[in-house]
Amino acid sequence: MKKFITLLLLFSSIIANSQRLKYTILKDEPDKIKNATFHIDPFYADAWSTNTTLGWGLRADLMLKKRISANVFFKKAYLDMNARSHFDKDLVTPKRGFKKLTYFEPVVSYHLIDKLKKKSVKVVISSSTSYSGSYKTTTTKYIMVPGTVRKIRGVRGGFYFLNSAIDMNEGDAISSWVAKKDSSIIKFGGYDNKVHGSPIYNGYTQMNQIAFFGGITFKSITNLQTKIEGYRKTRGNYSFYDFYFDLMFAPVLSYQDIKFKDGSVYNLKNNSNKRTGWRTGLLFKFVNKPYMSYGFELGQRPGFVGNKKGILNPRTFLNITMGISIPYNLKFIK
């Protein structure tokens, strides 16, 4: 209890001392930010129940006009849990072989509301980390400055293309797969059975998706710079947050033909597809200088359903992206 009181007093002292610092606001212009940002993402992790991948990506953000913004995303896996050599080499595989996950997505947003709001803005002065055994303590010194926050509310839409290797037994879905060739039909799921030299208790192929989506976006922008007494460098808050929610529909949801051990090729179908999905996400970047940028998504993509009930089925995914953002002014965009 004494330790807690001591920490509380120390924390209160830091805030009180911070708030007594004198400062000058040099800039407070959230409506005057660089109109383009390019992102280099050396790392993303996509924990998708259908296929888990790690990879890299490229992104671009544009503020085309006061009412319009756009984003483009590209991702490519360098580690793909399904597009690899598997233990049982007799299982069926994609006719044209495995390809690691590829993802492409353009988005356009229309701003219904774009207004400036006076609000206290947090300006971090310094941050330090100390260690005591296995305990880590981070101390942040900051002041609250009267500033301006740009609030954007709008609608968004776009599409994505996705190509991913899949495990046919994910979500206990193996019994929902059927292979067809002329009048010949093969139902998967027999653990001790072999067809054309391949066991049919499992198998792998490639899934293609083209999905359209639409939703809402909530953007929050600050572009505040201060000069604080006693510090040589300026301090500020230059944050851009974009929270969004989308509903998805995939008119194209197809599976590559599969090849058995003896070379026989069959068309593959699944009788438990779901073409709808949803996601919610958050993007963060700085608006004035190169800095770390982050992305987070959670939801359920279109795909095959499987027999697992609840939220943790083959369509559920969690995506995290980390990279470096590079803001820039494109002169031909006004």
Side-chain angles (χ1 to χ4, degrees):
M1 187 64 180
K2 289 182 179 179
K3 290 183 178 180
F4 175 76
I5 294 174
T6 302
L7 289 173
L8 184 61
L9 291 173
L10 177 62
F11 179 71
S12 301
S13 175
I14 291 172
I15 294 178
N17 290 333
S18 299
Q19 296 290 18
R20 283 198 296 267
L21 292 173
K22 294 182 180 180
Y23 60 86
T24 302
I25 297 177
L26 304 178
K27 179 175 65 175
D28 185 18
E29 301 173 331
D31 55 337
K32 296 179 182 179
I33 62 173
K34 294 180 179 179
N35 57 22
T37 306
F38 302 97
H39 304 262
I40 301 173
D41 300 325
F43 172 82
Y44 85 80
D46 194 310
W48 183 18
S49 295
T50 293
N51 186 21
T52 298
T53 60
L54 300 176
W56 61 274
L58 298 171
R59 290 179 285 149
D61 308 332
L62 299 174
M63 299 291 283
L64 299 175
K65 294 182 179 181
K66 185 175 177 63
R67 290 288 183 180
I68 299 174
S69 59
N71 310 82
V72 179
F73 302 83
F74 174 80
K75 296 178 182 179
K76 183 68 177 180
Y78 46 69
L79 177 62
D80 190 308
M81 294 302 294
N82 287 335
R84 59 185 176 88
S85 178
H86 295 276
F87 176 76
D88 191 341
K89 299 185 183 302
D90 292 337
L91 292 171
V92 297
T93 56
K95 175 185 174 182
R96 296 187 293 276
F98 288 113
K99 289 186 178 180
K100 295 178 181 179
L101 182 138
T102 301
Y103 185 93
F104 174 73
E105 174 186 313
V107 190
V108 175
S109 300
Y110 181 76
H111 305 163
L112 300 172
I113 299 173
D114 188 342
K115 63 182 181 180
L116 302 178
K117 184 177 180 181
K118 293 296 182 181
K119 190 177 180 181
S120 292
V121 176
K122 182 178 180 180
V123 175
V124 174
I125 301 171
S126 62
S127 181
S128 61
T129 302
S130 60
Y131 296 87
S132 178
S134 59
Y135 294 96
K136 175 182 175 181
T137 303
T138 300
T139 303
T140 300
K141 187 177 181 181
Y142 66 91
I143 57 175
M144 299 302 294
V145 176
T148 307
V149 180
R150 184 179 176 186
K151 298 285 188 179
I152 296 175
R153 305 291 183 263
V155 293
R156 53 181 255 143
F159 72 90
Y160 70 76
F161 165 79
L162 179 153
N163 183 305
S164 175
I166 61 170
D167 179 339
M168 292 164 56
N169 198 30
E170 187 62 56
D172 299 326
I174 191 67
S175 61
S176 64
W177 295 97
V178 176
K180 294 184 178 182
K181 182 180 181 181
D182 300 326
S183 58
S184 176
I185 298 176
I186 300 171
K187 294 184 179 180
F188 283 83
Y191 194 87
D192 297 323
N193 297 331
K194 283 191 175 184
V195 178
H196 296 295
S198 293
I200 56 174
Y201 69 88
N202 198 4
Y204 299 88
T205 189
Q206 295 282 141
M207 175 174 63
N208 289 322
Q209 284 188 27
I210 297 178
F212 293 91
F213 59 85
I216 54 177
T217 176
F218 301 90
K219 295 178 172 67
S220 177
I221 306 171
T222 55
N223 187 22
L224 183 144
Q225 184 182 47
T226 66
K227 181 67 176 69
I228 302 174
E229 185 181 41
Y231 292 87
R232 291 177 57 189
K233 293 184 178 180
T234 61
R235 303 290 192 274
N237 188 313
Y238 315 98
S239 302
F240 189 121
Y241 291 93
D242 184 3
F243 172 80
Y244 55 90
F245 176 82
D246 293 325
L247 296 176
M248 311 174 188
F249 175 73
V252 177
L253 181 57
S254 62
Y255 305 97
Q256 190 177 134
D257 292 350
I258 53 174
K259 181 172 63 176
F260 287 80
K261 185 180 180 181
D262 68 356
S264 299
V265 176
Y266 276 67
N267 178 256
L268 187 67
K269 294 185 180 297
N270 188 289
N271 59 25
S272 66
N273 289 328
K274 189 166 185 178
R275 295 182 179 272
T276 58
W278 64 272
R279 67 179 175 185
T280 184
L282 177 67
L283 298 171
F284 167 80
K285 65 180 181 180
F286 266 22
V287 298
N288 71 323
K289 63 180 180 180
Y291 196 73
M292 296 292 293
S293 61
Y294 308 93
F296 168 85
E297 278 189 350
L298 170 68
Q300 292 184 335
R301 294 188 179 112
F304 60 94
V305 177
N307 295 321
K308 288 187 177 180
K309 305 299 181 182
I311 191 170
L312 295 179
N313 60 60
R315 301 186 305 114
T316 302
F317 77 98
L318 172 65
N319 187 308
I320 300 173
T321 300
M322 297 176 62
I324 298 174
S325 60
I326 306 171
Y328 188 77
N329 260 327
L330 296 178
K331 294 181 180 179
F332 61 88
I333 298 177
K334 296 182 179 180

